[in-house]
Amino acid sequence: MRAYGVNELRKMYLEFFESKGHLALKSFSLVPKNDNSLLLINAGMAPLKPYFTGQEVPPRTRVTTCQKCIRTGDIENVGKTARHGTFFEMLGNFSFGDYFKHEAIAWSWEFLTEVIGLDPDRLYPSVYEDDDEAFEIWEKEIGIAPERIFRFGKEDNFWEHGAGPCGPCSEIYYDRGEKYGCGSPDCTVGCDCDRYMEVWNNVFTQFENDGHNNYTELENKNIDTGMGLERLAVVVQEVDSIFDVDSIKAIRDEVCKIAGVTYGVDHETDVSIRVITDHIRSATFMLSDGITPSNEGRGYVLRRLIRRAARHGRLLGIDHLFLTDISKIVIRESKDGYPELEEKAEFIFNHLSQEEKQFNKTIDQGLSILADMGKDMNEKGSKELAGADAFKLYDTYGFPLDLTIEILEEKGFTVDKEGFDKEMQIQRETARAARKTTNYMGADATVYEQLDPAMTTKFVGYDELTCEGEITAMTTETEVVSTLNKGDKGTIVADQTAFYATSGGQEADKGVIVSGDAAFEVEDVIKLSGGKFGHVGHVVEGTFNVGDKAVFTVNEKNRALGAKNHSATHLLQKALREVLGTHVEQAGSLNNAEHLRFDFTHFSPLSDDEIARVEKIVNEKIAEDLPVVTKVMSMEDAKKTGAMALFGEKYGDEVRVVSMGDFSVELCGGTHVKNTGVITAFKILSETGVASGVRRIEAVTDQGVFNYYHKQEEELKEAAKALKATPATLLTRIESLLAEVKELKSENESLKSKLAKDALGDVMDQVEEVKGVKVLATSLEDVDMNGLRELGDNLKEKLGEGVIVLASQKDGKVFLVAMVTDEAQKAGAHAGNLIKAIAGCVGGGGGGRPNMAQAGGKNPAGIPEAVAKVKEILESQIS
Ligand code: ATP
Ligand code: MG
């Protein structure tokens, strides 16, 4: 057996199954399409689900892939077992109602033993305990001794996911030898240790589970297999773990080089090396599929992976940014099978280092918060950090628990780990409860699933705005029907249409469908699985029947307006790349007759100058009246033209390329203007942030620009009118008004302070003494409670130590404030009791603290009595 490399093995596998009549498909994106049950693709079969259910017709009944997979559930295993990565590649061969167990088993055996040359004596198959058919195939057709075939229960060897297709599995294990064993006398195939490694899993999808564990035989039986490419390489290259196979070892070596450490010397160090190696491999692939770090969903998974890697970098003593250097090796090693890695390299590096920098900041912030917590513990004389605190550090500041433990350990503290786990458990349960349940396909079931998957619609709307077609299916909102009557809401499907269906950011056409006297208003057009177009709307007149011929007419004006905004979006994207740099990638887009919206990757808000430059470039390209040309060509040729493709978008072999002069080339299925001059004008209305690293521009074209300026002009006129000026004199008018306001303000200030002084008058003359304590009790006019308190504070400063009581009436109400300084309190004076005792005189009540109290009243006539009473009360308070 030769020690084939990872890239060789991938090729050998795909070619072997191509020789068995399979169509080799490119790996699907890690981001699932129309599947809410999965955050990330985790198996070769996941993106093929519509073919398994029959909802879509596969391009061939035999398909083979090498699929990028992420399993976050395995994150804790990474670095600890020899066989788990968060990222791995899954080789698979699939049959959609074509071949079944005999062929699947025979071919997997042929591939492993004949193509690769593995020693048959070290291979062990397992089957589901009740699957005698598979057992017999292994025994009789392949010739494996029965004692070498293992039967396992449902847990291990039955593939099932709630309701839907399911079936027994047959796995193939490879015995890597005693040195990898756990030493237990029971250690055999199926043991969790690293000796018997599961390399291949064949799933025989032969039943349908109705959701209540009632199983019926499927008419079309399917084959779904999965073999970890890295694990196969471990076996073939006879190495210890997936971290020792050629392409992953190269990454590992780079980590060691940067950290200045050697692999295989110290266990803890090795775990860190493996974690960094694995996580940056995952992160690089996720970024290449357009996922960016954020605080939820996939973005959060990515953030965790990057931060964990950065954190282990610190543990290894790396004190500078290093993640992009690791990522470069990932790309070098895997670009063979995944050219998108190289195409998106700049984007990947940008996000990696941005996130790494942010994490470093977080760590420093976390350290200072932890220091505060440490101080707190010292004060309380506690030696253990509360679980809730540790969790807060982890959850809010992204501060890993092990780091918290490590730092506290140095100071002789511990962490309440149980408390931490409890908090974690609570959070997990909340998250689980929030997660929605989905069906087998991971989507809400709709009426369209009942339509014949083989039925398709031909789109002729690039050249025609009206065409004839035959109605092939119709639905209401809940069921498939054969007629729709006046007033009915529903969907019409036809064999041919001129209507553009919402896709690629372009909103659908509007228009009418007419058949004889019957008319249907089209409000939306959607793409249904299998290449069908659904015209959604309502019947305005008459009756439609399946089989009717009808004329499909697109609203021309709406289409033309939308085309201007769509074409302008292309110019905008190119202009952004010229002004900001080639890291700008489309992150989302929407255009219709009214406006356009474009989301793109960039890290900071655009300056006014940048916005102006972008606008200027787009308007120049409009003025140049560039011809807009669309061509259909192979993906290969399209790449040569430098066309910009979207992340993870699955393009067919043939793609449509839209170019505008030499300025912009994009892959695009949308409808456009014939010359950029038609767009007339372009104006950016707003530039905002929508997520970390993603900006959004909203803009208008043509009439939209004029409407915008018209509105601005109207507002300007209104503003001028309000200031009794004209737009031309508005600025001078505002300047003189501002000067006037400034003058009035300062005049007001000086008046206020004069008033306050006047109000105080010569009150200091009224200071008296009660048993050696200074007392100032007086009344004022027209000052409210806030004013009294302010005055009181003022007087307290002047008085030094003593008691102050102020009374005032304003709008028929009475306000009382009493203040007692520290020394006066020591002498026995109490503001609260004092106020309580005198408030009765003004028909009110109140109280407060010893140093400060206030009260309100309704009887201004009682003010002199209240003031007079102060001395009397103090006599009794002061000893
Ligand atoms: P294990 O029990 O070892 O975690 P599994 O039962 O989860 O494996 P399957 O779901 O059957 O594995 O996936 C099919 C194949 O994908 C496995 O036979 C294995 O070769 C590979 N595989 C699964 N998980 C990983 C992983 N985390 N890293 C690398 N390869 C994996
Ligand atoms: Mg597993």
Side-chain angles (χ1 to χ4, degrees), residues 227-245:
M227 169 158 63
L229 175 59
E230 294 83 351
R231 289 199 194 169
L232 178 65
V234 166
V235 168
V236 171
Q237 299 176 11
E238 294 187 274
V239 290
D240 286 351
S241 81
I242 59 171
F243 295 95
D244 300 290
V245 307

Side-chain angles (χ1 to χ4, degrees), residues 353-372:
S353 57
Q354 169 95 356
E355 185 65 18
E356 191 178 12
K357 278 183 212 151
Q358 214 170 317
F359 176 68
N360 286 343
K361 247 197 256 161
T362 305
I363 284 280
D364 295 334
Q365 190 186 8
L367 284 174
S368 94
I369 291 166
L370 191 55
D372 286 346

Side-chain angles (χ1 to χ4, degrees), residues 628-649:
V628 178
V629 180
T630 55
K631 273 195 196 130
V632 175
M633 58 180 85
S634 72
M635 188 68 198
E636 283 298 296
D637 289 342
K639 281 196 175 159
K640 279 182 210 142
T641 67
M644 281 185 263
L646 280 184
F647 280 114
E649 200 64 42

Side-chain angles (χ1 to χ4, degrees), residues 448 451 455-457 470-475 491-496 528 532-535 552:
Y448 304 122
L451 297 175
M455 187 190 287
T456 60
T457 303
E470 186 184 319
I471 297 177
T472 49
M474 292 194 293
T475 74
T491 300
I492 291 181
V493 181
D495 62 348
Q496 182 162 298
L528 303 174
K532 283 182 276 297
F533 283 43
H535 305 77
F552 292 72

Side-chain angles (χ1 to χ4, degrees), residues 64 104 160 190 234 265 298 323 332 373 386 399 417 452 489 493 510 520 614 633 668 692 783 800 844 868:
T64 181
E160 186 163 42
V234 166
V265 176
R298 287 181 274 279
L323 297 184
R332 188 188 75 200
M373 289 178 175
F399 212 68
K417 273 212 258 181
D452 179 359
K489 282 186 187 171
V493 181
K510 298 189 184 340
F520 182 91
V614 169
M633 58 180 85
C668 176
S692 125
V783 183

